[in-house]
Amino acid sequence: MNVFLFLLMAIPPAAAATVVTAIAAKPRLGAAYRSRLLAKGNTSADVPTIRIPNQDIHGQLLEKLFAHKSASHRGLTHARRAILYFHRPANEHQENIDPDHPRYPELAKATFHTLSISHQEIAALAHRCTQQVLKDVWHADATSRVLRLMDLAVPVTSRIMFELTFGTVPSQEEVALIGRSARDSMRISKGLRHSTNISARLELLGLLRAKVTECGGCPGIFGRDSTLDTDSRAKHLQGVFFHTGVIQLSECVCHTVLAASRHAHIVERVVERDARYLDHVLSEALRLYPLHATIQRLVVDEVCLSPTVTIPSGTQLLVDIGRHQRMGHTEPDTFVPERWEQRSHADGGFVGFGRGRRKCPAERFSRTAAAVIVQQLLSTFAVHAPARHTRALEGGGLCCLVPLGSPGTSGVRFKKLLVRTRDHAERLAFGAAQLICLPLTARAVRSLPHSTGIGTRSHPT
């Protein structure tokens, strides 16, 4: 992004002043522009699309729609983005195929089997990996430091996923490669890089192929009678654990730490190891900052939700998760974990891990691991994050960390000012990068064929 700052400085002063004034006057310009482009890229002129929640479909009707088996197939552009992302039409892992695909049961079984370790084992794994990363990253004599929370969370989750799948401790080089692939994916999803730049992911795929071969096909995950070849096994592990797993668990941790750190009473209860309350904190963070802006679904058979609401076959659904999770709550934009003490996730419209047949199988694992990581970070550091906190997490959780019990806090005020300054400059660069990369990505997605070749059902053309 520094390149964009350089280019901004290189253009004529009058033009530069116009750009800077426009972005500074409207801080959400980049986010708004991105939303319009994503909406354009997520629809197709020849496929009817319903955006929900709306005046007809919300609340309980939307919950009923999530649970309906005919609305559990991936959206049209979800499939096309999957091909674009992996650059391989034959990429078959659980998240990119539909439940009626012949390999879906085998892949789903492999995922569930991998995630089915006990609560105690998950907690111990997360604790061990967090301690190792803090030891590697934090200098013993440092009294404060400006860094991005993602630079702590990504190595932690990379280690967790590697140990979970292969049962061995990864090397520093392997952790770095997993993290580089995850960061590239996040930059692409945020519109900071063109989506065809997949060199890090291909390098990671090569590593995973080698590890699968070294482990004799990973029979502990896929079973000894699996029909999957080495390439399919490596792609499945990459897509489910080293892409989605690393990215979403890392972002969940960052959002929760940033949101909780602004409220001293919340931090106090978390540090006191109030496990039930910490679970509410995680739910509230995911309610306000969902890991996906939208859920895409394709209705493959007619769905009757009520006597007056029927969704025809072939309709694409585009669910605004943030809007849905704010409906029905008092002070919907305020971070209040206590709201979940009297409400269940179903009553509160919580869909942080999805609903229905495509609900995320890693909810239990993710909640347990994230709770351990968040509790350790807030018990170790005072987090000063004066930067604006949004769902896109543009700055990667830029903040100033001060170890609790540190003998001195000299320079913290200056570092907090540095965080604000860096955050403002990076947001300018962020918006400039999106102006270039998002249209290219949206155009690339729309240019892909409608028939994905993934799954047994063909999408309408």
Side-chain angles (χ1 to χ4, degrees), residues 31-46:
Y33 184 73
R34 177 173 178 269
S35 297
R36 290 197 298 272
L37 282 170
L38 288 179
K40 187 176 181 181
N42 285 337
T43 58
S44 183
D46 53 357

Side-chain angles (χ1 to χ4, degrees), residues 8 49 58 103 110 117 142 148 152 185 194 230 232 263 281 312 333 337 339 346 390 436:
L8 189 63
T49 300
H58 58 85
R103 286 188 174 177
I117 63 176
R148 304 177 200 278
L152 291 177
S185 300
H194 194 280
T230 297
S232 295
H263 307 275
V281 172
D333 296 319
R339 74 174 78 244
T390 66
I436 297 172

Side-chain angles (χ1 to χ4, degrees), residues 74-83 95-96 296-297 316:
R74 296 163 304 111
L76 172 64
T77 53
H78 180 109
R80 291 157 72 187
R81 283 179 183 274
I83 294 178
E95 295 195 347
N96 282 347
Q296 297 179 49
R297 291 291 182 265
Q316 182 174 228

